[in-house]
């Protein structure tokens, strides 16, 4: 199951337009077909509208969940200075599935990975980054008592589990799958084992059951390595399932949202104020509209490439009918780019106002979520 | 400072007769000269009689200790089924130096290393091995409150320190120094960082000071790697000092004592009973005596190759005058091999009787020593 990291999609370098059909083949994953997609109706738009394009055993996971078998969700976070909308994708998916199936959600915070990979990042800084991120995640509304957040540098018992997975991952596997280089530090060599321990953590913690891991396709190598060892007699676990999200473009429309530009103008941060949101969307959100008012009225806009429409579709307009109307009005030229943008600005600011309130409340809730 | 593991002396394979002069050159360490050796008078025979043959900065460590500067000693243990006399070498040295300088002693128990390196060793077994070893070490009489024992799988906070050292050790360094192979698991790749964290632990724990690490020369690569990173601005620590012990022969006189034969007949275990000790020494202790009584009386024995004499010299006869008399009597032929062996049997059994009593008492003391 080892593969050379010959294509561009390794976990540490992704910033380009992607041929998803090709990726499905290259990564040996399964496309989410119509039947599976249809079963996601009623969930958060991030799940119901095709952002997740491929999977491993997601059908089996859903089937287990629907039968009332124990299932869980695992979605980690490499802590960063602050979160933007794009970062929320797997958590919105996880929360929506938790709401539907009342299952446990596990969120490991890999302060260690950041520390190993970012040469200049000091240990104390890596620790600090985590806390703010954790508050943002709690603010999304995960269920206390069913949601477990842990940081590798705080919940150090994770080392016991990582040691167990480490014993079953050779350096050559780690190297081939993750593109490790000899000059990389040995923390980095070890991290694939830590990641596998994260993915298997729900089973270490609560016994054998199926865990779903929402990830970017670039993270699939972690899943594959973990699936390869899950059934080893050391563990006797279920292979984890996975769903793979498309790379969500930045406001500029040209790259993955995680490729934040130096001024942070191409993404909407969770702490952006109303004026900033308005300015960023007005100035930078790539438009599918025409160059002149007259031309737009005549020929209409292109919602498929319009970032404002895409953000409404993926994140902010759950009502299918309303979304369809926006789509049709924009496409026909009835709705102008400025009007479309205004809808998004309002939706984003409503969301952020609510989020920022909840984040303050999260300060008091944090102990209900954190494993120590 | 990297070197290819081209000679035979890597930490995981040592079982041969050794040219120490050559090793001093190869490893780039310093021979313990007469002046330094003379300063060890009055300490345990393991230190005062030349078992430790080379060092790094031991003179500086002693000088600091004598000036009343803070110093500490670190000597780890890879847990094993049970301890034998040969295992005690660094602990006897550490205890003797602790008695003299009233310094702290740190004993990390690397259950993780054993687990990574021994394919068949289960996690639960690795944990169990540690406890018995710890009781043996406490029984040696280390000072409570000044002696800290910790197991990597129990005191998992060590992962935080190991992460810090891991960031400063590249895989290529680890590979070159420790002879790692691509098929080795990533726990093994990470272990050099864990070992470095052990060696620097006294400084992580109590701030910058000089730590002495008594080791076999085969363990010196760990020291070297750790010395290379100790002064990095991430740490600003003192380079640790080291002393290197000769490989102590087994009863057979032909190999390092740690190369226990399958029946365990070539070593004296700490839980051997009196009969077993008597039988092992009588049957197996390599003799420097002559083939016949007459020849022995005429030509005398050779104490330099006689295991019983060597064990008395290194472990069991602290009185220089008594030892000299045994030496002279044996060399002259006045003392027979059977008489020499009887002296050793008595000494070993006295030691073990006392040790086994103390080990039982150690059960109640264990909490005073263990970091959790």
């Amino acid at each position: 199951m080892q593969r050379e990291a010959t294509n561009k999609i390794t976990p540490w370098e992704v910033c380009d337009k992607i041929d998803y059909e090709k990726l499905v083949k290259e990564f040996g994953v399964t496309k989410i077909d119509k039947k599976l997609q249809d079963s996601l109706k009623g969930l958060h738009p991030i799940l119901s509208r095709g952002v997740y394009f491929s999977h491993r055993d997601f059908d089996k996971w859903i089937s287990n969940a629907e039968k009332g078998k124990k299932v869980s969700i695992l979605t980690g976070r490499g802590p960063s200075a602050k979160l933007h909308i794009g970062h929320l994708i797997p958590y919105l998916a996880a929360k929506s599935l938790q709401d539907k199936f009342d299952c446990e959600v596990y969120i490991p915070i890999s302060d260690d990975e950041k520390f190993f990979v970012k040469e200049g990042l000091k240990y104390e800084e890596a620790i600090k980054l985590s806390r703010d991120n954790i508050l943002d995640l709690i603010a999304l509304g995960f269920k206390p008592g069913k949601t477990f957040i842990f940081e590798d540098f705080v919940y150090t018992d994770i080392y016991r589990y990582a040691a167990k997975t480490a014993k079953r991952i050779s350096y050559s596997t780690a190297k081939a799958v993750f593109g490790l280089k000899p000059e990389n530090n040995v923390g980095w060599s070890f991290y694939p084992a830590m990641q596998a321990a994260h993915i298997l953590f729900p089973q270490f913690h609560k016994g054998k059951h199926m865990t779903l891991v929402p990830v970017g396709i670039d993270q699939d190598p972690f899943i594959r390595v973990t699936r390869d060892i899950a059934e080893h007699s050391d563990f006797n676990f279920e292979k984890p399932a996975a769903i793979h999200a498309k790379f969500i473009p930045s406001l500029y429309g040209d790259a993955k949202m995680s490729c934040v530009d130096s001024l942070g103008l191409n993404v909407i941060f969770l702490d952006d104020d109303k004026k900033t949101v308005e300015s960023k969307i007005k100035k930078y959100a790539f438009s599918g509209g025409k160059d002149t008012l007259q031309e737009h009225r005549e020929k209409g806009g292109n919602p498929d490439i319009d970032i404002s429409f895409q953000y409404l579709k993926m994140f902010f307009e759950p009502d299918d009918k309303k979304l369809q109307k926006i789509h049709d009005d924009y496409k026909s030229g009835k709705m102008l780019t400025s009007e479309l943008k205004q809808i998004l600005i309002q939706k984003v600011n409503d969301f952020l106002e609510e989020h920022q309130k909840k984040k303050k409340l999260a300060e008091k809730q944090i102990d209900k979520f954190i494993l120590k």
Side-chain angles (χ1 to χ4, degrees), chain A:
Chain A
M1 283 297 287
Q2 294 174 23
R3 59 201 297 284
E4 289 299 319
T6 46
N7 69 29
K8 273 191 174 173
I9 313 304
T10 68
W12 290 288
E13 39 174 348
V14 172
C15 207
D16 241 322
K17 296 228 164 179
I18 306 294
D19 176 344
Y20 290 104
E21 295 289 338
K22 198 175 156 201
L23 282 182
V24 165
K25 277 187 198 161
E26 276 188 17
F27 279 81
V29 296
T30 309
K31 220 177 141 176
I32 291 183
D33 61 16
K34 188 169 178 312
K35 188 182 158 203
L36 186 51
Q37 186 61 58
D38 284 350
S39 74
L40 305 178
K41 273 182 188 158
L43 289 165
H44 189 281
I46 209 80
L47 282 164
S48 67
R49 291 184 183 145
V51 173
Y52 284 93
F53 69 101
S54 70
H55 74 106
R56 293 180 185 272
D57 287 340
F58 185 37
D59 45 353
K60 193 174 161 194
W61 185 91
I62 289 198
S63 165
N64 282 359
E66 285 174 344
K67 285 179 197 153
K69 284 189 187 174
K70 181 172 179 59
V71 292
S72 64
I73 302 169
L74 180 296
T75 176
R77 167 104 214 108
S80 55
K82 49 186 185 173
L83 298 190
H84 56 67
I85 299 288
H87 286 135
L88 297 185
I89 295 166
Y91 308 101
L92 296 172
K95 178 181 154 34
S96 183
L97 291 165
Q98 184 181 54
D99 287 345
K100 179 161 181 183
F101 295 115
D102 195 33
C103 58
E104 289 177 347
V105 171
Y106 292 81
I107 306 177
I109 309 285
S110 51
D111 41 17
D112 50 350
E113 183 195 17
K114 279 278 160 172
F115 177 68
F116 293 138
V117 170
K118 282 198 143 188
E119 168 57 29
L121 183 67
K122 297 229 179 291
Y123 176 84
E124 293 71 19
E125 290 165 4
I127 296 267
K128 265 187 212 161
L129 289 177
S130 305
R131 187 174 167 92
D132 189 67
N133 286 194
I134 288 170
L135 294 174
D136 274 321
L137 297 178
I138 292 173
L140 295 179
F142 288 105
K143 296 184 182 181
K146 294 221 161 210
T147 307
F148 307 97
I149 303 175
F150 58 97
E151 297 155 80
D152 294 334
F153 282 151
V154 175
Y155 182 69
T156 53
D157 281 1
I158 192 68
Y159 178 64
R160 296 177 191 164
Y161 304 121
K164 291 180 185 180
T165 53
K167 188 160 181 172
R168 298 295 156 223
I169 300 173
S170 71
Y171 178 76
S172 58
T173 296
K175 178 172 180 279
V177 174
F178 303 100
L180 295 176
K181 292 168 191 162
E183 64 268 30
N184 294 149
N185 66 62
V186 293
W188 205 331
S189 312
F190 186 67
Y191 190 72
M194 183 58 81
Q195 183 85 298
H198 289 164
I199 296 172
L200 297 178
F201 184 76
Q203 299 190 73
F204 279 123
H205 205 53
K206 294 284 176 81
K208 183 176 180 172
H209 68 272
M210 207 161 186
T211 304
L212 174 69
V213 194
V215 285
I217 188 77
D218 56 323
Q219 299 286 321
D220 188 70
F222 290 124
I223 306 291
R224 198 170 55 239
V225 165
T226 310
R227 285 171 62 91
D228 284 350
I229 65 170
E231 295 177 329
H232 188 284
S233 62
D234 283 4
F235 309 114
N236 283 317
F237 287 156
E238 290 258 359
K239 282 181 194 289
I243 46 176
H244 309 108
K246 289 181 181 166
F247 302 109
I248 304 295
S250 78
L251 288 175
Y252 300 164
D254 61 349
K256 187 183 171 193
M257 222 196 266
S258 66
C259 303
V260 178
D261 69 9
S262 56
L263 295 173
L265 296 173
N266 65 337
V267 295
I268 293 161
F269 290 109
L270 299 187
D271 67 351
D272 276 351
D273 61 24
K274 289 185 200 297
K275 290 266 173 209
T276 306
V277 168
E278 184 175 0
S279 160
K280 282 182 177 177
I281 293 174
K282 281 188 174 167
K283 283 191 196 164
Y284 306 114
F286 185 80
S287 168
K290 296 295 181 293
D291 289 343
T292 66
L293 180 65
Q294 192 184 350
E295 194 188 353
H296 188 84
R297 289 289 190 209
E298 277 170 19
K299 298 185 181 167
N302 181 356
D304 295 341
I305 61 164
D306 188 283
I307 287 294
S308 300
F309 180 77
Q310 292 298 320
Y311 280 26
L312 286 172
K313 180 178 168 189
M314 294 184 289
F315 296 107
F316 297 108
E317 183 47 80
D319 186 317
D320 287 342
K321 284 182 188 164
K322 285 185 187 170
L323 187 73
Q324 189 62 49
K325 187 167 184 333
I326 294 168
H327 177 272
D328 296 348
D329 286 354
Y330 191 61
K331 199 164 184 179
S332 71
K334 189 175 163 190
M335 181 181 283
L336 300 178
T337 294
S338 59
E339 293 166 325
L340 176 57
K341 287 193 171 187
Q342 197 53 52
I343 295 174
L344 181 66
I345 290 165
Q346 188 61 44
K347 288 277 189 185
V348 170
N349 277 333
D350 288 353
F351 172 81
L352 290 186
E353 187 179 346
E354 188 68 14
H355 181 81
Q356 288 159 11
K357 265 187 220 163
K358 286 182 185 160
K359 187 173 175 181
K360 276 183 193 158
L361 295 174
E363 293 267 7
K364 289 178 189 165
Q365 293 185 289
I366 196 164
D367 286 343
K368 292 182 192 163
F369 291 92
I370 297 279
L371 289 180
K372 279 174 189 169

